[in-house]
Amino acid sequence: MAEPGDLGRDEGLYGEGTRVPGSRTALDEERSPRAAQPAEGSGGGHRRGGPRRRAKRGKRRILRGVAITVSLVVLGTAGAGYLYYEHLNSKIKKDDLTLGGEMADHKANAAGQTPLNILLIGSDARNSEANQKLGGAKETFDGPPLADVQMLLHLSADRSNISVVSMPRDTLVKIPECTDPDKPEKTYQAKELALTNESLGRGGPGCTVATWYELTGITIDHFMMIDFAGVVSMADAIGGVPVCVEENIHSRTRDGKGSGLKLKAGTTPIKGEQALQWLRTRYGFDDGTDLARAHGQHMYMNSMVRELRRNTKLTDPNKLRKLAEAAIDSLTVDKGIDTVKDLYDIGMQLKSVPTARITMTTMPNVYSKRPGYEGKVEPMPGDAEQLFRMVREDVPLDGKAPKKPPTRPTASKDPAAAPGEIAVMVRNGTGGDGQFAEQGRATAVTELLVGKGFTAAKPDTTLDPQKSTVVLFSNAELEGDAQAIAKALGIPQSSVKRSTDATGIQLIVGADWRQGDAYPKSNAKPDNKTPDTAKILRADNDQECMPVQEGFTWS
């Protein structure tokens, strides 16, 4: 196992990175945001020992519940601190939920239930002695933290399933304007294009939440953020997490890069810094990409869930207290989580979901072709939005949604203006399926609208690849107008969406309508199948074994 100081920062908290002492690699420059430019319950019953003993038992039960809660919730960031019950309420760190604009309210299901969305963030902060020892890279001590692991945990409204969506840390996104809650005079202006992991250093986790909402439109209820020390504490707490590799592996390149992970072929329980190494490994896993690392993280998460569900190693309250005292500084939550009881309640909801109905996915993505950003990724047109929509609409990603009659979208309370008074810009998005865009498509559909009385419609020369045709509007006052446009063209009302990226009303003609004057009826029904590009992994799959990249084996 590598020494603590060997775990460098050049690939982030769960990225690669061991350095030759005193050196700074090209990946270090890549990692730096500055260098990246642009380039319950109480005990019951009457027992001997009186109220004091019963109170202790009640605290132990909640403490144990909190440990499992935080584990289940924060295991997506590769660890959790075990929180000492008597001190948690006063010691837990809190921050603003979002530093962007307001998020939309959840839409309740027929039973009046709403989903729960929690953003799990893994920070590479080196602002404590423990994290500096584990993270290495002395030149980055006390520097801006990066959100190098980001996973959205979605608990369905009926509490029957959990979906987890990972976003690669090198995803190019728009980061909205964020104001530092600790320094109100410090405002970070919006960036049209930046790596998503930079968001954490722009005011805190609330900016990462705002960035997710900007991209996905998914309302986020809570965040939980963990750092290096929490990763090690979590793995130690449960006595090891079993992981599997197909061959002997040593994640180390000739020039000293790599996590240092060294394992024999087969299944090995890992904990402590070895668990951190697994979660950081890119070189040596599968094809050696950041996507392979994300798959390894999912495997680790699933295995940890199974270990926690067995619930055989978290019964010693004294051990829990010691672990909590050591790891409490690793956790930061939003201000909506006030007490231990809040964590406990969240955990009980998560614990009720069968392991077989926990689905891990990765945001579908493609390598960027933008100059200066080669090697970074962007959301895959069509497939990424498909995944986000399913989460927004509370559709299970495991394909086990109950059959129900179709519902009619709610008509806007704001009546539409006369067709001739509705301005709309029409864009060509027919390249959203990976093919070349259909030439002249924006102009052709504009002419269709003009022929139906929408004389203020104009073609926009901007190419905006979309798998499915959408009508976007920028504010609530335009919703009725946008719905009128969709109705005139036969586009389903479910394709009418509010978007902060839209200016006025925009009709983007997607790859599903490359030709013809009528919107294809076969496209009117939403596709509720999780894209293959999301790389589904179910939590009950205990047969998964990581392929080893050529050149990283040993004998």
Side-chain angles (χ1 to χ4, degrees):
M1 182 185 302
E3 293 300 318
D6 285 344
L7 298 179
R9 191 180 183 181
D10 52 31
E11 286 282 344
L13 172 56
Y14 307 120
E16 300 297 332
T18 315
R19 65 187 64 260
V20 177
S23 69
R24 181 170 177 83
T25 68
L27 281 173
D28 282 309
E29 299 298 330
E30 174 186 280
R31 285 283 296 102
S32 167
R34 292 182 292 274
Q37 306 296 332
E40 151 176 312
S42 59
H46 295 283
R47 298 172 183 256
R48 287 184 297 175
R52 184 176 180 183
R53 177 167 290 184
R54 289 199 301 273
K56 286 184 177 179
R57 283 197 298 268
K59 285 183 178 180
R60 286 180 181 179
R61 191 197 313 179
I62 291 182
L63 174 61
R64 182 179 175 190
V66 168
I68 296 173
T69 296
V70 177
S71 303
L72 285 173
V73 174
V74 190
L75 58 83
T77 63
Y82 284 89
L83 309 177
Y84 186 27
Y85 178 78
E86 287 83 355
H87 300 298
L88 176 62
N89 290 342
S90 61
K91 287 190 174 183
I92 190 170
K93 295 187 293 296
K94 303 175 186 178
D95 217 327
D96 291 350
L97 173 62
T98 178
L99 302 182
E102 293 185 3
M103 291 183 281
D105 292 334
H106 285 299
K107 292 183 179 180
N109 63 13
Q113 302 164 305
T114 56
L116 179 67
N117 294 321
I118 304 171
L119 186 63
L120 311 173
I121 304 170
S123 166
D124 76 344
R126 289 166 172 77
N127 54 2
S128 71
E129 183 177 350
N131 285 326
Q132 290 171 356
K133 182 179 179 181
L134 289 166
K138 292 182 179 180
E139 70 279 5
T140 65
F141 287 3
D142 299 315
L146 301 180
D148 274 344
V149 172
Q150 300 175 35
M151 297 183 180
L152 181 72
L153 186 153
H154 171 83
L155 176 62
S156 65
D158 63 4
R159 303 311 191 246
S160 68
N161 65 91
I162 290 174
S163 300
V164 178
V165 179
S166 295
M167 185 188 298
R169 66 185 181 86
D170 284 348
T171 301
L172 292 169
V173 296
K174 176 183 178 181
I175 300 181
E177 179 180 293
C178 295
T179 299
D180 193 323
D182 298 325
K183 302 175 183 177
E185 72 282 359
K186 178 64 174 177
T187 297
Y188 297 89
Q189 297 302 314
K191 295 184 71 173
E192 289 298 321
L193 196 65
L195 299 182
T196 184
N197 63 357
E198 293 180 31
S199 58
L200 185 60
R202 297 168 64 82
C207 194
T208 304
V209 170
T211 300
W212 268 78
Y213 186 67
E214 178 81 27
L215 175 66
T216 68
I218 298 171
T219 298
I220 296 172
D221 303 286
H222 298 293
F223 70 76
M224 290 190 177
M225 182 170 70
I226 204 78
D227 59 22
F228 286 125
V231 175
V232 174
S233 298
M234 182 61 219
D236 288 345
I238 63 176
V241 175
V243 294
C244 179
V245 288
E246 293 181 355
E247 303 175 74
N248 295 347
I249 181 174
H250 187 200
S251 178
R252 179 71 75 234
T253 65
R254 291 182 178 180
D255 57 357
K257 298 173 185 174
S259 70
L261 179 71
K262 189 172 185 178
L263 293 175
K264 292 182 178 180
T267 300
T268 305
I270 58 174
K271 58 182 180 179
E273 291 176 38
Q274 199 170 33
L276 181 62
Q277 288 175 327
W278 175 279
L279 293 159
R280 295 168 63 102
T281 296
R282 174 166 70 88
Y283 296 120
F285 277 175
D286 201 359
D287 59 359
T289 66
D290 196 49
L291 303 180
R293 172 168 50 225
H295 187 69
Q297 292 169 356
H298 289 170
M299 290 172 61
Y300 182 93
M301 287 175 62
N302 289 344
S303 182
M304 184 180 288
V305 168
R306 293 191 295 269
E307 289 297 299
L308 289 167
R309 291 295 173 90
R310 294 188 182 104
N311 200 13
T312 60
K313 300 175 182 178
L314 300 176
T315 58
D316 183 348
N318 292 324
K319 182 178 181 181
L320 288 178
R321 290 189 180 100
K322 291 179 182 178
L323 288 164
E325 290 290 353
I328 192 170
D329 289 337
S330 302
L331 182 69
T332 301
V333 298
D334 66 276
K335 294 177 180 177
I337 299 176
D338 291 329
T339 64
V340 172
K341 185 63 164 59
D342 291 334
L343 286 168
Y344 182 75
D345 289 343
I346 291 173
M348 291 305 99
Q349 294 181 66
L350 297 173
K351 190 178 179 182
S352 67
V353 177
T355 305
R357 300 226 49 204
I358 300 175
T359 307
M360 312 287 179
T361 63
T362 299
M363 179 198 76
N365 57 85
V366 293
Y367 284 107
S368 177
K369 296 181 180 179
R370 301 174 190 267
Y373 290 105
E374 294 82 359
K376 311 305 180 185
V377 300
E378 299 185 36
M380 178 180 289
D383 283 12
E385 172 54 26
Q386 168 80 347
L387 189 67
F388 300 151
R389 180 190 63 78
M390 290 177 69
V391 174
R392 286 196 303 266
E393 298 178 2
D394 199 27
V395 178
L397 299 186
D398 60 5
K400 297 181 180 179
K403 293 184 179 180
K404 55 185 178 181
T407 56
R408 297 177 62 88
T410 304
S412 172
K413 295 179 182 179
D414 183 53
E421 299 176 1
I422 299 176
V424 54
M425 298 299 293
V426 183
R427 290 184 175 180
N428 187 347
T430 55
D433 55 0
Q435 302 182 46
F436 288 111
E438 189 75 19
Q439 295 296 315
R441 196 65 185 133
T443 300
V445 175
T446 299
E447 292 174 354
L448 285 176
L449 281 171
V450 171
K452 294 178 181 292
F454 293 87
T455 53
K458 302 291 183 185
D460 186 338
T461 57
T462 304
L463 293 178
D464 194 351
Q466 295 284 330
K467 188 174 182 179
S468 302
T469 299
V470 292
V471 182
L472 306 179
F473 60 95
S474 59
N475 56 71
E477 290 74 16
L478 296 175
E479 183 174 14
D481 296 345
Q483 290 181 348
I485 291 170
K487 183 177 180 180
L489 294 174
I491 299 169
Q493 294 295 304
S494 60
S495 297
V496 179
K497 303 172 184 178
R498 183 173 178 174
S499 172
T500 56
D501 289 333
T503 300
I505 300 176
Q506 293 177 349
L507 166 60
I508 305 177
V509 185
D512 59 346
W513 193 15
R514 295 180 66 89
Q515 296 179 340
D517 291 346
Y519 182 78
K521 294 296 183 182
S522 60
N523 296 331
K525 183 179 179 180
D527 178 8
N528 284 336
K529 180 181 180 299
T530 304
D532 293 338
T533 50
K535 302 183 184 301
I536 288 178
L537 182 61
R538 281 179 24 176
D540 63 343
N541 181 359
D542 59 1
Q543 301 301 311
E544 191 79 6
C545 205
M546 177 62 73
V548 175
Q549 186 180 10
E550 185 178 355
F552 290 87
T553 58
W554 57 276
S555 57

